[in-house]
Amino acid sequence: MPDSISLWFKSFIPAKANVDRFERMRSCAGSLFGILLVGMVSYAVLPHKAGTIWLIAPMGASAVLLFAVPSSPLAQPWSIIGGNLCAALIGVTCAKLVPEPALAAALAIALAIGAMFYLRCIHPPSGAVALTAVLGGPAVQAMGYGFVLSPVLLNSVLLLATALFFNNASGRRYPHAQQSAAPHPHHTRDELPITRLGFSHEDLDEVLKRYNQVLDIGRDDLEEIFLQTEMRAYHRRFGQTLCASVMSRDVVAVEFATGLDEAWRLLQAHRLRALPVIDRGRHVIGIISRSDFLEHAGVEVHTGLTAQLRALLHRVPLLHSDKPEVVGQIMSRPVVTAQVDTPLLELVPRMADGLHQIPVVQADGKLAGMLTQSDMIAALYEKNLAAARSGPSLRSAA
């Protein structure tokens, strides 16, 4: 019995937050900056007379959401504006129509929650806004529906504007709207290769539907956490293979001023799909692929493909040309690159979603190698094959 009571008490202790010191200081600084700015501007804008309310207490709770957990669905722009406005309207209405304060307060909270669910703007501090409208005292009662515009709307807009600036300036994406799924590169109904194994979008949607509770995290963030967890588990089971151990080191590369005919000859001679483009210091500045040649040759149908490509590759013996003459004029940039110490598994989603080759660079940006889909398939095959071979021996030894 004592053990069960001890465990029950321990269940009240929250888990340790997995955020570093910088993130904690960032949240504190944002709240300080936000509330200070809202208070100063509201005080300067609103008339200075007895009974004027220029900053309401629920803004403190809103600041916690907007600066400490800006990725929360409860902290998004429509949540704070829509939630605070409808709660203020409902609170003032209940205060006018229901003479009993306790009943008016209860009705205001309940109706505000229902309205926020309906309007998809759930914002917990809005409950305090509704309560303030009912129990705020004579000053709030005297303001009537003016309370909705100032200070509620004014405070909300100012705090939101501060959060938009501060969060983005400090490296946090805000607003944190759900990201749309990447379009299929081949425009077919098949799932992307990376999603054909493991859980799918539909699996996650079905689980969330069964869970049937409001989560304080966006769906796309939740999915990304699951994917990163799967990747972490794979690293733990099979170890890490870095790009440096798999990449091709004898890389055929071209420069900005390399002629198109020479670049095409290199692609054909070495049976490559793409060539990295480097500068004099061997820094990667772009990539040129067969698709770039076909696109700039204007090839849309098979008829005349050879003639159109030949016209693109033919050098014009003049100082001026109306068509591209060198690699730098048709190369693709910016180019996706990887570091020599990048774990191979981190590049699987990019390769599976359409990239066929990725230049690998050193810490100073200089070209170190090239990673292709063939390199990745071979490495993952060998890694899993080695794990399969060691599995039975490990089990027998155990």
Side-chain angles (χ1 to χ4, degrees), residues 258-278:
T258 302
L260 294 181
D261 56 342
E262 174 65 14
W264 181 260
R265 186 190 67 77
L266 290 173
L267 284 174
Q268 295 291 88
H270 295 277
R271 298 182 180 181
L272 301 173
R273 299 179 63 94
L275 298 169
V277 184
I278 58 176

Side-chain angles (χ1 to χ4, degrees), residues 250-323:
D250 185 16
V251 183
V252 180
V254 293
E255 295 185 355
F256 186 99
T258 302
L260 294 181
D261 56 342
E262 174 65 14
W264 181 260
R265 186 190 67 77
L266 290 173
L267 284 174
Q268 295 291 88
H270 295 277
R271 298 182 180 181
L272 301 173
R273 299 179 63 94
L275 298 169
V277 184
I278 58 176
D279 60 16
R280 295 289 178 89
R282 293 192 61 81
H283 298 93
V284 178
I285 60 174
I287 192 167
I288 185 169
S289 66
R290 293 174 181 266
S291 299
D292 294 320
F293 280 96
L294 297 179
E295 178 183 349
H296 285 83
V299 176
E300 296 182 359
V301 294
H302 292 292
T303 305
L305 185 152
T306 303
Q308 290 170 292
L309 186 57
R310 185 182 294 115
L312 174 68
L313 299 179
H314 177 69
R315 286 178 177 267
V316 176
L318 299 173
L319 295 178
H320 173 74
S321 174
D322 292 330
K323 73 175 187 68

Side-chain angles (χ1 to χ4, degrees), residues 28-70:
C28 295
S31 299
L32 172 65
F33 181 54
I35 293 298
L36 181 62
L37 184 64
V38 171
M40 292 176 61
V41 174
S42 298
Y43 184 78
V45 170
L46 296 178
H48 297 169
K49 59 182 181 180
T52 299
I53 299 175
W54 45 273
L55 181 63
I56 55 175
M59 289 300 108
S62 293
V64 174
L65 284 173
L66 269 64
F67 296 103
V69 282

Side-chain angles (χ1 to χ4, degrees), residues 105-119:
L107 281 174
I109 297 294
L111 293 175
I113 292 175
M116 287 188 286
F117 264 116
Y118 181 76
L119 297 174

Side-chain angles (χ1 to χ4, degrees), residues 173-382:
R173 175 165 62 95
Y174 188 80
H176 204 87
Q178 180 171 315
Q179 302 295 296
S180 57
H184 198 294
H186 303 295
H187 305 289
T188 64
R189 289 190 297 270
D190 287 331
E191 289 286 338
L192 292 172
I194 195 65
T195 62
R196 293 175 192 170
L197 296 176
F199 71 90
S200 66
H201 302 299
E202 290 74 17
D203 293 331
L204 181 57
D205 289 336
E206 181 62 27
V207 171
L208 290 176
K209 184 178 179 180
R210 292 181 182 179
Y211 190 71
N212 196 31
Q213 293 186 43
V214 177
L215 294 178
D216 194 12
I217 183 173
R219 184 198 175 284
D220 60 328
D221 289 325
L222 185 62
E223 184 173 10
E224 180 63 22
I225 289 173
F226 286 157
L227 291 173
Q228 291 294 330
T229 303
E230 285 186 340
M231 189 176 295
R232 175 74 177 177
Y234 187 94
H235 281 312
R236 176 175 49 78
R237 291 173 60 196
F238 300 110
Q240 289 190 1
T241 301
L242 305 182
C243 288
S245 61
V246 179
M247 67 184 186
S248 302
R249 297 178 181 272
D250 185 16
V251 183
V252 180
V254 293
E255 295 185 355
F256 186 99
T258 302
L260 294 181
D261 56 342
E262 174 65 14
W264 181 260
R265 186 190 67 77
L266 290 173
L267 284 174
Q268 295 291 88
H270 295 277
R271 298 182 180 181
L272 301 173
R273 299 179 63 94
L275 298 169
V277 184
I278 58 176
D279 60 16
R280 295 289 178 89
R282 293 192 61 81
H283 298 93
V284 178
I285 60 174
I287 192 167
I288 185 169
S289 66
R290 293 174 181 266
S291 299
D292 294 320
F293 280 96
L294 297 179
E295 178 183 349
H296 285 83
V299 176
E300 296 182 359
V301 294
H302 292 292
T303 305
L305 185 152
T306 303
Q308 290 170 292
L309 186 57
R310 185 182 294 115
L312 174 68
L313 299 179
H314 177 69
R315 286 178 177 267
V316 176
L318 299 173
L319 295 178
H320 173 74
S321 174
D322 292 330
K323 73 175 187 68
E325 294 290 334
V326 298
V327 165
Q329 293 176 284
I330 71 170
M331 68 181 183
S332 298
R333 58 180 176 182
V335 59
V336 176
T337 61
Q339 299 286 326
V340 290
D341 58 352
T342 298
L344 193 64
L345 198 62
E346 291 184 9
L347 303 178
V348 171
R350 290 186 176 275
M351 287 288 198
D353 291 348
L355 283 180
H356 297 283
Q357 55 282 310
I358 297 178
V360 182
V361 298
Q362 299 172 357
D364 58 3
K366 292 184 178 181
L367 181 66
M370 197 75 169
L371 187 68
T372 67
Q373 286 183 333
S374 300
D375 298 328
M376 181 168 290
I377 291 172
L380 293 177
Y381 172 76
E382 288 295 333

Side-chain angles (χ1 to χ4, degrees), residues 92-106:
V92 172
T93 303
C94 288
K96 287 181 173 294
L97 298 180
V98 181
E100 175 56 42
L103 179 58

